[in-house]
Amino acid sequence: MSPDLPPVVPSVTAELVGALPPRLRKRLDAGVTKLVARPAVRDGDTVRIAVDDDTDLVLHAPGGAVTRADAIRCGCLLAPDCLHRAAAASAAPVADEAPAGDPEKPETPDEPETAPAAEAGDDAANAGRRAAARAVSDAAAAVLEAGTDGAGAVLQAELLHAAHTARLAGLPRLSAAAVAVVTGVRAARSGDPGYRLTDLAGALAGVLGVAHRLPHATGPELTDLRGTARQPYRPDGSLRLYGLFSEPVLTATGYAGAVTWTADAEGRLYTVSDVAPGGPARATGAADRAVRIGDTSLTHRELSRAGLAVSGATVSPTGRLGAGAGVRAVRASGVAWRAEPLDRLWAVPAAEQVSRALNGGRDLLFLEVTPVGAVRETAGDCLLADCDGLSVLLTTAHDDPSLPCRENLRLLAAAGRGRLRIVARLVPGPFPRALLLAAEHPADPDARVDLGLDRLQHADLPGGVVAPPDRVLPAGDEAPLHLLRRRVHQAVSGGRRVLAFAGDRPGDGARLRRAGLATAGDLLDDLHAAAADRSRDVFGRLLPADTDRFGRSWLAAAVYTDAVERALCADAWGATATGAGGARPPATPIH
């Protein structure tokens, strides 16, 4: 995936790839690799790629995204039926095809929610939804069957086509979930540093789970599974907000920018964002852009430490502030983290905050910790901190070297300061872990550092840098859930064939059962059996694999693993997890 190209809506990619003859489809992945290596030149809404010395490929993206197939033009002799157009669409980030919501018109309802044809009692709409869910399920199962190693541009386009069909059927949640899988697959295949296998596994479980449940759902569950195509902004009167921190946004989808978090006097959180197609340079530059709300000239960096008085405010369900014409905003004074009203955010016990995050609330944690030192892991250094007797690992939110996250973490680990207030994002797992986002300044508790945007210097540290001792993670007595999790993740990377060839390691199922995880042992056995299940015809030739059975077995294992990991995470923090997050368990049996 190339962030230099403008985002392309799923229907365009599906149309261009679908129009290729079989001989060109076989060459599509090689064409994508070759095209990504060519330089792209942007001029306003147009991006031009020199395919060779005599041929240019042009992508026209009014409004920032390519929304029509004829907006991608090629000058080669085979155009418009050439490989280059399909390769460009397959290499570009995936654009949001659904209406994104117009902050200028906060009262506009979601079209799928109000269209009569999308009502649950309409037989035609029900049939259309079932067909769309089946198409997405089949396409996602094919991606899982192949794994990221084998899920090339053709399989991606088929899933994007299914996502487009789901959107037209009034299933925006399923459509968005399918697009997320394609984005993750592209990030994996391109070696994107932001790619996380865990995230892609969660996305696959999410799309397969929603597709599985939709045909059986009614009432409120159906409404939830359908989702909404946009987030409506609702009037929220006048707000007095206090800046908390800013964080860079740098996604695998080719978007970048900054988000600034604020809170009102009651501790409710609101965000102001500036995110658009771009790379690391845009993520760092957005911090010094003026926030897009009202007439204020505050930058994101300034707002994170100042305040904002807003009248005629409009707010999305996730707390994002709208920027409509009727919104007025002026700069106001900010407060330190240890002053009211922000101080109350840190007064909530860590266990209670984790319970809120695991049960569907905000995943931000406001913690007071004592840095202990650096811990070396395979992925890099972490900061080991004590949080009221609980050892917590704090890791970087971004690994891109153009952002100061990792160096700031090293300096904090070496600062040798006592109690320190931080803002972090929960990372579910069997040990307390979180992504470090912001912290009090090591030399001044009334100041703060946005760790993804501000760059600490050695001179900022009180008394100079103290070299931390070498430390290793405590071994602990982790339940052997990793035996099942590893197979779930291996399938995402290598596809069904990896599990079919590897077979079950002797004793894995027995070890799970001895640990009291009998269900995990059964799921592991079933997953291997589904992977190895290949029938033969009367001539002894292998028949096509049953991707549906393998997909259902994998989904059952992924859902179970997610639920147990959430329970382990809650136990590690001394919290409770009663809701479902990530890949929610299906309401009907998978088998």
Side-chain angles (χ1 to χ4, degrees), residues 60-141:
H60 186 52
V66 176
T67 58
R68 298 173 50 181
D70 59 8
I72 302 179
R73 303 187 300 272
C74 183
C76 75
L77 296 177
L78 296 180
D81 301 320
C82 62
L83 183 70
H84 303 129
R85 298 173 70 221
S90 300
V94 184
D96 181 7
E97 197 167 20
D102 183 1
E104 302 292 334
K105 301 178 181 179
E107 299 81 15
T108 302
D110 296 310
E111 294 174 4
E113 293 295 330
T114 58
E119 292 299 322
D122 189 323
D123 290 340
N126 283 334
R129 276 195 295 268
R130 285 195 296 270
R134 181 74 261 176
V136 171
S137 180
D138 290 344

Side-chain angles (χ1 to χ4, degrees), residues 240-447:
R240 175 64 169 91
L241 303 176
Y242 302 85
L244 272 169
F245 72 99
S246 291
E247 63 173 318
V249 175
L250 188 59
T251 74
T253 63
Y255 285 80
V259 173
T260 298
W261 292 80
T262 65
D264 67 7
E266 304 300 321
R268 291 186 295 262
L269 301 181
Y270 298 83
T271 61
V272 181
S273 63
D274 180 359
V275 180
R282 194 183 194 285
T284 55
D288 296 313
R289 295 174 182 264
V291 298
R292 294 182 295 180
I293 178 171
D295 300 323
T296 179
S297 59
L298 277 172
T299 66
H300 284 270
R301 195 185 302 274
E302 292 170 336
L303 177 58
S304 69
R305 293 158 175 81
L308 203 63
V310 186
S311 62
T314 58
V315 184
S316 79
T318 60
R320 180 179 176 181
L321 292 171
V327 180
R328 298 289 183 267
V330 296
R331 179 174 186 154
S333 59
V335 297
W337 281 358
R338 293 181 180 269
E340 287 291 343
L342 299 185
D343 181 69
R344 67 183 60 189
L345 294 172
W346 279 266
V348 180
E352 186 176 330
Q353 296 186 52
V354 172
S355 295
R356 178 185 61 204
L358 291 175
N359 295 318
R362 297 280 193 189
D363 60 358
L364 291 185
L365 303 179
F366 300 90
L367 307 175
E368 191 160 342
V369 303
T370 301
V372 176
V375 171
R376 185 167 298 279
E377 291 188 318
T378 303
D381 290 345
C382 302
L383 171 60
L384 181 64
D386 175 82
C387 180
D388 295 328
L390 185 68
S391 294
V392 179
L393 278 176
L394 301 173
T395 60
T396 57
H398 297 279
D399 289 327
D400 193 287
S402 64
L403 300 178
C405 304
R406 189 160 297 283
E407 184 59 30
N408 284 340
L409 184 141
R410 292 194 186 101
L411 290 176
L412 283 178
R417 184 191 159 175
R419 300 286 284 178
L420 191 73
R421 284 191 170 181
I422 64 169
V423 182
R425 179 168 285 117
L426 177 67
V427 178
F431 296 107
R433 182 184 292 265
L435 304 178
L436 190 57
L437 303 174
E440 288 178 330
H441 196 284
D444 183 2
D446 290 331

Side-chain angles (χ1 to χ4, degrees), residues 218-240:
T218 58
E221 185 190 14
L222 176 59
T223 300
D224 176 58
L225 291 175
R226 285 169 55 195
T228 56
R230 66 177 72 180
Q231 293 185 345
Y233 284 75
R234 304 300 184 194
D236 203 18
S238 298
L239 297 173
R240 175 64 169 91

Side-chain angles (χ1 to χ4, degrees), residues 395-551:
T395 60
T396 57
H398 297 279
D399 289 327
D400 193 287
S402 64
L403 300 178
C405 304
R406 189 160 297 283
E407 184 59 30
N408 284 340
L409 184 141
R410 292 194 186 101
L411 290 176
L412 283 178
R417 184 191 159 175
R419 300 286 284 178
L420 191 73
R421 284 191 170 181
I422 64 169
V423 182
R425 179 168 285 117
L426 177 67
V427 178
F431 296 107
R433 182 184 292 265
L435 304 178
L436 190 57
L437 303 174
E440 288 178 330
H441 196 284
D444 183 2
D446 290 331
R448 67 197 70 159
V449 180
D450 296 332
L451 295 168
L453 298 171
D454 303 327
R455 194 174 293 274
L456 283 171
Q457 305 294 331
H458 287 185
D460 295 326
L461 305 184
V465 177
V466 179
D470 292 335
R471 300 179 186 273
V472 295
L473 290 177
D477 295 322
E478 181 184 359
L481 187 66
H482 64 276
L483 299 175
L484 180 60
R485 184 198 311 118
R486 180 172 62 239
R487 297 307 186 195
V488 168
H489 288 176
Q490 280 180 338
V492 175
S493 295
R496 179 196 57 79
R497 66 186 181 279
V498 171
L499 299 190
F501 293 154
D504 190 11
R505 290 185 59 184
D508 280 357
R511 183 179 174 189
L512 287 166
R513 294 180 181 91
R514 284 196 302 270
L517 300 174
T519 300
D522 293 342
L523 289 170
L524 181 60
D525 292 343
D526 185 71
L527 183 59
H528 280 291
D533 183 14
R534 293 293 301 275
S535 301
R536 296 179 181 270
D537 62 18
V538 294
F539 299 104
R541 295 172 299 193
L542 281 175
L543 295 173
D546 186 350
T547 58
D548 185 59
R549 183 198 168 186
F550 179 67

Side-chain angles (χ1 to χ4, degrees), residues 136-163:
V136 171
S137 180
D138 290 344
V143 169
L144 178 63
E145 166 85 9
T148 56
D149 296 341
V154 173
L155 285 181
Q156 295 168 28
E158 290 172 355
L159 185 52
L160 289 177
H161 176 73

Side-chain angles (χ1 to χ4, degrees), residues 1-3 5-6 8 13 31-33 35-36 86-94 153 156 186:
M1 182 172 59
S2 173
L5 298 177
V8 178
T13 304
V32 170
T33 301
L35 190 72
V36 168
S90 300
V94 184
Q156 295 168 28
R186 290 184 177 180

